[in-house]
Amino acid sequence: MTSTIDVKKKQDLKKWLEMPYNNRELSWLDFNARVLEEAFEKENPIMERCNFLSITASNLDEFFMVRVAGVLDNIHRGTNKPDPSGLTPKMQMKRISEKVHAFAEKQYNCYNRSIIPSLRANGINFVKADEMTDEQKAFADDYFQRVVFPVLTPMAVDTSRPFPLLANKSLNIAVLLTNAEGEEFYALVQVPSILPRFLELPAKGKRDFITLERIITIHLGELFELYNIKQSAAFRITRDSDLDIDEDTEDLMEEIKKSIKKRQRGVPVRLEFSKKCHKSIRKFLVDALHVTEDEIYVQHGPLDLTFLSKFARIKGCEKFCFEPITPVNPPAEFYDCDDIFEAIREKDRLVHHPYESFDVVVDFVKKAAKDPNVLAIKQTLYRVSGNSPIVAALIKAAENGKQVTVLVELKARFDEENNIQWATKLEKAGCHVIYGLTGLKTHCKICLVVRKDEDGIRRYLHMGTGNYNDSTARFYTDIGMFTCREEYGLDASSLFNTLTGYSLPPEYNKFIVAPQGMRPFFEEMIRKEIENAKQGLPASITAKVNSLVDPAIISLLYEASQAGVKIELIVRGICCLIPGLKGWSENIKVISIVGQLLEHSRIFKFENNGNPLYYLGSADWMQRNLDRRVELVFPVEDEDIKNRVEQILKVTLKDTVNARKQLPDTTYHLVDKRGRKRLNSQKHFSKLAQQAQNAVKKQTYVRTVGTPIVPAKEGEKAE
C-alpha cells in the first residue's frame, strides 16, 4: 500500500522536474571555473594566481572522491531516477566527464601559457633536466643521494609481485624496463609525499626550481641498475573516499577508524597520466586499475597542481602576493574591555572575521576556563585546527574543575582523524565528549558558558556562521555574535540537552534548529513575503549562503519572484536556481563572490512589510543542512548589529571586483562596472574594521585623558 509520504514525494519530484533547475554537480564545476578565472586574472599577483590554480586542483580532487564517486555508485546500483534537473546518473556522468575534461585542459593552459610565462617574467623558473647548469645538476644529484634515495622504494610488478595498493592521491612513476635479452618489465616508484614537492636550485640573479618527480626520473637508472630504462611516466589515482559508516555500531569511533583505512583502498574514479606516457605503460596501468576511458585524464604538465599552494608561499616572494588583510585586534566591539563578560552584559556584540580577529572568540573560551565564577562550558566542534587554542582552553577548563561538555563531530568529512585525536585528548582531560547524533551531522556553531554573576546564574553565548578554527578564520569570512539574552540562553541549554541526552526537540524561544524546525521556518518566511507582495506591501528577500540546492526552497523562491518579491542572492558556490528566466525568476538576482578570502558567512534578511528581520547561522539552503544535520540559525535583535548586518549585505551586493552575476543560461560573468565605482567588498570591510577601531580609540582617549588639545588656527592662541 502506497503511503501518503510516498505520494507527496512523487508529487514533489514531478513539480520540481517541471521547474528550471541546474544540476548540482554541473553547477559546482561552474563554481570551480570561477576560481580558475582568478588564476588567469593578470591583475592578481602571480603567486596568488598560483594559489588559485592550486585551489581548483584541490577542489577537483574532493569532487571526484565524493561527488563523482557517488554518481558512479548510483550507476553501479542500477539507479535510473532523475534528479530535479531531469538528469539520470548516467546522463550526469556523461555531462560531468565532458565538462571536467574541458576544465582540465583549461587548468593546464593556465599553467603552461599564463602562470609559467608570468613566473619567468619575474625571474622565477621551473627547469627541465636539459636546462640545468652543471652546478644545478651537482646540487640535485647530492640532494637525491642524501635525502631522496633513502626514502624511495622501487616496486617491481610481475607474476610473483602483484600490482601494489597505491594510496589515494599519491603521485607515482611507472617505469618500463628491458633486460639484456630485450624482455620488458614494469615497475613503480612512489614520489614520497613526506618530502617537499619542489627543490630550489642554485642560480644567480633569478630563482630556479625543479619538481621532485623530475629529480627522481633523472635518477631512475640508479634504482634499476640491472635494467635499461625504456620509458617512464608519472601517474596519479583518485579513489572513492566517501565513508560508509554503520552508525548503529556500539563504538562509533572505532567504526570511523575502520572506514578511514578503507578510504585508501577505495575504487579508482580517476587516473591521471602525464602527456608523454608511453602507450605500453598506459595499457599496463589501465588494465591493473580497471578504469574506463572516461576516467582517464591526460595532463599537459606536472600532475597534482595542489603543490602550487606551498610554492605560492615561498620566502622572498611576498611582493608577488596579495597585500595581507590584517585582522583588527581587538575588534572595536571589545576595545578597552577588561572584562569580556561585562561587555556582553552591556549589549550584544558582533565580530566580522577575518577583518576582526578571531582571537576574541579564543579569549572568550580561555577566560571562561580560568574564571572562578564560571561553572560550565558547553561547545560544538566541527572542524578545528591542528593546534587548536580552543581545545587547549577546554582542556584547561576541565583541569580547573569546570563542567565541560564538548560535542565533537567525528563525521566531519576529511577531518575525521583530526577530530578523533581531539576527542581522545578532551576525554583524557576529563571533558564529557559526545560524538554526535545517529544519522545526523552536528554542524551548528555554538559555545555556552554558564557563570555565577552577582545577580544570579547567567548564560553567555557565542554563536557563529563558521567553525571554531583559528587557522581558517584567517581567510574565511564569517560572523560571530555574543549575547547573554535570557531567551537565547534557555534555547542554548535546551539544544545541548537534546544533543547530549534523550530530550525531545523543544519549542525554542528564538533559535531555529534543523532538522525539525529549520525547513518549516524558511518556507514560512518566504510565504509571508509572497503574501505581502500580493497585498502590495513591501516584500523582499536577501540571502547570503555557500550553496543553494534544495528544490523545495528553490520552488518557493520562484513562486515569490512570480508574486513580485524582489530577491537578491549571494551564493558563493553551487546554485541550482536559475535567475532572470521569463515567467519564473525575473525578480531574482544571483551573484557569486570569489576573491582573496573565502566567503563563508550565512545571512538571511526578510523585508517583513518594512520591518526587516535578520538571521545568521550555520546552514546553507541544501537538503543536507535542512534535513540531515543539526544546524542553528538565530535572529539578530540588537539594532546596532542589525545595521551592521544590513551594511554587510549592501556592500557585498555592490562589489564590482570579486562579484560575478549568474545569467539565465547559468553562465557567470563579471558584473558590469560601467558607471559604477570600483569596489572590492573584502578590502572595504577591512577598512571599515580599522576605521571602527580607530574611532573607539579616540573615544577612549578622550574619556581617559580628557579633552584633547585643539591645534590653533593661524593667528589664534591654542586652547
Side-chain angles (χ1 to χ4, degrees), residues 469-481:
N469 188 317
D470 57 295
S471 178
T472 57
R474 293 196 293 269
F475 55 92
Y476 281 30
T477 73
D478 271 306
I479 299 172
M481 191 177 90

Side-chain angles (χ1 to χ4, degrees), residues 580-600:
L581 292 174
K582 189 174 181 181
W584 284 96
S585 53
E586 291 104 325
N587 289 314
I588 304 178
K589 170 187 175 183
V590 176
I591 67 166
S592 171
I593 302 287
V594 178
Q596 181 174 351
L597 304 172
L598 186 145
E599 293 292 332
H600 194 251

Side-chain angles (χ1 to χ4, degrees), residues 354-462:
Y355 317 109
E356 296 173 314
S357 176
F358 187 75
D359 287 353
V360 69
V361 181
V362 176
D363 289 344
F364 175 64
V365 185
K366 281 183 175 179
K367 287 175 181 176
K370 295 177 183 177
D371 191 326
N373 294 318
V374 168
L375 306 176
I377 304 173
K378 301 182 182 186
Q379 186 161 6
T380 59
L381 296 178
Y382 190 74
R383 299 187 195 277
V384 292
S385 64
N387 189 27
S388 172
I390 292 278
V391 175
L394 293 170
I395 289 172
K396 193 69 177 175
E399 291 171 350
N400 288 342
K402 317 292 183 193
Q403 291 290 319
V404 180
T405 303
V406 188
L407 193 146
V408 180
E409 181 48 78
L410 297 185
K411 302 185 293 289
R413 185 179 287 136
F414 302 121
D415 267 345
E416 299 96 346
E417 288 180 273
N418 189 42
N419 286 3
I420 285 171
Q421 291 174 6
W422 283 126
T424 303
K425 288 182 179 179
L426 286 162
E427 282 184 326
K428 286 181 179 178
C431 301
H432 181 47
V433 180
I434 308 297
Y435 300 147
L437 301 177
T438 302
L440 300 172
K441 282 186 180 179
T442 302
H443 190 248
C444 56
K445 327 295 183 184
I446 183 169
C447 178
L448 165 64
V449 173
V450 182
R451 188 173 188 266
K452 186 178 180 181
D453 290 341
E454 290 182 3
D455 55 348
I457 301 295
R458 184 175 277 108
R459 282 168 279 218
Y460 296 84
L461 296 178
H462 171 268

Side-chain angles (χ1 to χ4, degrees), residues 525-678:
M525 296 301 288
I526 297 171
R527 286 194 176 101
K528 282 182 179 178
E529 295 302 317
I530 292 172
E531 288 306 310
N532 285 342
K534 287 179 177 178
Q535 294 174 33
L537 302 173
S540 68
I541 299 169
T542 308
K544 182 178 184 294
V545 292
N546 294 328
S547 299
L548 171 54
V549 175
D550 187 77
I553 294 292
I554 290 172
S555 178
L556 271 176
L557 290 173
Y558 284 147
E559 188 180 335
S561 172
Q562 293 160 16
V565 179
K566 181 184 177 184
I567 302 170
E568 294 184 296
L569 304 173
I570 305 159
V571 187
R572 186 193 81 228
I574 305 166
C575 184
C576 297
L577 178 148
I578 305 174
L581 292 174
K582 189 174 181 181
W584 284 96
S585 53
E586 291 104 325
N587 289 314
I588 304 178
K589 170 187 175 183
V590 176
I591 67 166
S592 171
I593 302 287
V594 178
Q596 181 174 351
L597 304 172
L598 186 145
E599 293 292 332
H600 194 251
S601 57
R602 288 90 164 184
I603 307 172
F604 307 93
K605 175 193 172 185
F606 300 95
E607 182 59 33
N608 190 39
N609 188 22
N611 184 26
L613 301 174
Y614 299 87
Y615 298 85
L616 306 172
S618 60
D620 291 312
W621 275 344
M622 304 177 74
Q623 294 101 316
R624 71 184 188 192
N625 298 95
L626 301 176
D627 301 328
R628 301 193 298 275
R629 289 184 173 186
V630 179
E631 301 276 10
L632 171 61
V633 165
F634 53 92
V636 174
E637 298 192 339
D638 180 270
E639 291 302 321
D640 291 339
I641 294 181
K642 283 183 182 180
N643 291 335
R644 285 196 65 188
V645 173
E646 176 66 24
Q647 181 187 52
I648 290 169
L649 291 173
K650 281 185 175 178
V651 170
T652 304
L653 287 165
K654 289 180 180 178
D655 193 306
T656 59
V657 176
N658 304 313
R660 289 167 175 81
K661 182 180 179 180
Q662 186 185 0
L663 302 183
D665 63 359
T666 75
T667 61
Y668 284 78
H669 290 251
L670 288 166
V671 297
D672 190 350
K673 299 179 177 65
R674 287 175 296 183
R676 297 178 63 183
K677 182 181 177 183
R678 179 181 172 86

